[in-house]
Amino acid sequence: MLFSIFVFIIVLSILIFVHELGHFVSAKLCNIYVDQFSIGMPPRLFGIKIGETDYCVGALPIGGYVKMAGQEDVPLDEKEREDTYGHVPQERWFKFRPLWQRYIVIISGPFMNFVLAIFIYIILISKGTLMPEMEVNSKIGKVEENSPASHAPLFIYDETKNNRKDYAENPDEVGWKTGDRILSINGNPVRKFSDLFVNATLGGSSEEHKVVLEREYSDGTVKRYISFIKPEIIEGSELPRYGVAPFYSALLKEVIKGMPAEEAGLKEGDIIFSANGVLVDRTTFVELTEKAPVNQPISLVIIRNGEKQNIQVIPATVGRLRGISLLEASDSRDDKKGLIVVDIESEAQKKTGLRRKDIITKINGEYFTIEKLHQFEREHAGETIELEVYRPPVVFGLLEKSSTLNLKVTLDPVQAIGVALGEKLVKVNYPVSQWIPEAFKRSYDDLRQTILVLKGLIVGTVSPKVLGGPIMIFDATSKAANMGIDWLLGLMALVSVNLAVVNLLPIPILDGSLVFILTIEALMKRPLSPKIQERIQQMGFVIIILLLLLVSWNDIRRILSDIIP
C-alpha cells in the first residue's frame, strides 16, 4: 500500500509539475511577474526564493499553481491587491499584458501535458515493448450469442460503395467471427481492440456503424467485408457494445503429462490456429474442446516456429468446476488457507452456492492446491464432491458475519486435451524514423478518445457512472505499477492527455474558463467587470464541488461493488 501511495504521488506530482511549468515558463517569457510556483496546495511545506519567485512545495499533493501579479483565482480587494503587488509595475501584471500573451500563458499548461504524453510515448517506442495482442492488433475473439456482432450482415467490400443502400438486401455472410480483423469504423482506422470499445461506446447506438473487416479462412484465403451494425447495451453492461471480446492466441504454456495433447505431439510454445476448420482463440478453443463429442478426434492446425502443421487429438473426459475462477489463497490462519473464488458466473453461483471471495478450504476433507485440484478433476469426472468453504465477513462483519459452509457440487464432465494456455506477448519495435510520428499517433488517439467521451457525456451516450476521481486514478496507477514501468508510463501518458483536455473545459477555476473570459474580452474589446468575474469564480467553485462529489460517489460505488460479493 505504501508503495502504491508513493507511486500515485510521484505520478500526480510529475503531471502537475509539467502543467504548471508550462504556465510558468510562458509567463516568464512574457515578462509577467511570478510571485510563487507551487507543486501541491497550501499550506507551504518548504521551498526556496530565487529572484522574485518563491519555488515551493505545498502540503496537499492534489494540485499546484503559478501565482502571477494581476491574475487572481480569488479576487482581492484594493488593499489586499496593493499589499501583495503594489511594488510590481503594472506593465508586468498578467491582466495588463497583451491579449495574445495571456492566451499563450493560459494554454501553455494543457499544451505541456500533451507534450509530456508525446515524450513518454517516444521513450516507450524507442525501447521496444512487449505488449498483449489486443494492444497491437484489432482481431476479435469470442462473439457473444445474440449480440449485434453475432447477426450483423456482411457484404463483400466494394470501394465504390459507401452506404447501406448501395448494397443488396441479402448479405454475403452473417455474423462476425473469431479471428476477424477490424480495419475501420465509420471511416476511422482501427489500430487496436480498445478502438472497437471506444467506437461502440462513443459512436452511439442511434445510427448504424459502417465497419470494414478482414476475414482469414482456414485454407489461407483472405476476404474483406463491409458490415453495418448498431451497438447495443447488452445485459450486464452500462455502455453500448458490439458484443465481442479481444483475441488472445491459444498459446500452449504447458502440456500436461499423460494427457492426449502429449500423446498427439503437441509442445509448449505451440499456437493453436484452428480446430475442425474453425479459427479459434484461447476462449473459443476451450469452449469447442469442452463440447466435443466423446472419443471423436479434433483436427488442429497449429503454428510451430512460424510454420503451420496438422495434428489430430482425441480429447479425454475430465471433471471441472465450470464458470469458476480459482486462485490459491494463504494466510497465517489455517481457516483462511485454500482456493479463493476470484470470479464466478451467475449460473455457476446458482448451481454451486459459491460466490466471489469464498475460500474453499477442503475438498472431500483434504487441503488442496490448484495443481492438486486439476489432477483431482481428471480422475473424478461427473462425481459429486463435498467442499468446506470459509465465507469472509462483509464490510468487517457489519453486513454479514463470517461463516463456514459445507457444499456438495458436481464436477461437470467435459472434454479436454490436457494443456494450460498462456498469454502471447508481442514485441513491438519501430525504426528511429517512426518514433516521433508513432508517438504523435498514440497521443492523438488518446486525445480523440477523451474528446469522444466528453461528447458522449454531453449527448447522453456515456453514463456519468463511468467517471472516476482520485481513488480510481490511484487504483489504476497501483495496478499499472505492479504490471511494470512500461504500463505505468503508458497510463501516465493517457492521464496527461486527459488532464490537458479537461483543463480546457470552460468551467470556472479551470484554464478553459480563463480562455473563455479572454475570448469574451476580445469580442467586447474590454475586460469583464471584476464583479462578474467574481460571480463566475463562485459559480465555478460550486460546479467543481458537485463534480468532485459525483466522481467520489462513483469511486465509492466501485469500492463497495468490490467489497460486497
Side-chain angles (χ1 to χ4, degrees), residues 387-404:
L387 307 179
E388 183 180 291
V389 178
Y390 169 77
R391 178 158 292 171
V394 178
V395 190
F396 309 106
L398 296 175
L399 295 183
E400 183 180 317
K401 296 187 181 300
S402 63
S403 58
T404 300

Side-chain angles (χ1 to χ4, degrees), residues 9-63:
I9 291 174
I10 291 296
V11 168
L12 193 61
S13 297
I14 292 173
L15 294 174
I16 293 168
F17 172 76
V18 169
H19 180 92
E20 298 303 330
L21 184 65
H23 293 313
F24 173 76
V25 171
S26 58
K28 286 288 189 180
L29 290 173
C30 292
N31 196 31
I32 295 171
Y33 183 92
V34 179
D35 184 50
Q36 196 171 52
F37 177 48
S38 176
I39 300 302
M41 302 302 285
R44 181 182 186 275
L45 284 181
F46 59 87
I48 182 172
K49 188 164 185 176
I50 302 176
E52 65 192 28
T53 305
D54 175 29
Y55 301 86
C56 64
V57 174
L60 299 177
I62 56 173

Side-chain angles (χ1 to χ4, degrees), residues 19 276 332 400 423 531:
H19 180 92
N276 291 339
S332 57
E400 183 180 317
E423 183 172 16
K531 199 70 174 175

Side-chain angles (χ1 to χ4, degrees), residues 79 117 254 317 389 441 479 536 563:
K79 185 177 185 308
E254 180 187 358
T317 301
V389 178
K441 277 183 184 178
K479 291 176 180 176
I536 290 175
I563 292 176

Side-chain angles (χ1 to χ4, degrees), residues 253-296:
K253 182 177 67 175
E254 180 187 358
V255 177
I256 299 170
K257 291 183 179 181
M259 291 292 285
E262 184 188 41
E263 296 171 7
L266 287 167
K267 297 180 180 179
E268 181 183 333
D270 290 346
I271 295 175
I272 298 172
F273 175 75
S274 68
N276 291 339
V278 178
L279 267 66
V280 293
D281 75 336
R282 193 165 64 197
T283 303
T284 50
F285 172 69
V286 171
E287 291 183 350
L288 183 147
T289 306
E290 287 184 344
K291 297 174 182 177
V294 178
N295 295 326
Q296 291 294 312

Side-chain angles (χ1 to χ4, degrees), residues 156-174:
I156 297 294
Y157 181 64
D158 186 341
E159 291 184 0
T160 65
K161 299 177 181 180
N162 294 313
N163 301 311
R164 173 71 178 266
K165 62 183 180 181
D166 295 330
Y167 289 87
E169 289 188 8
N170 296 322
D172 299 291
E173 298 274 358
V174 174

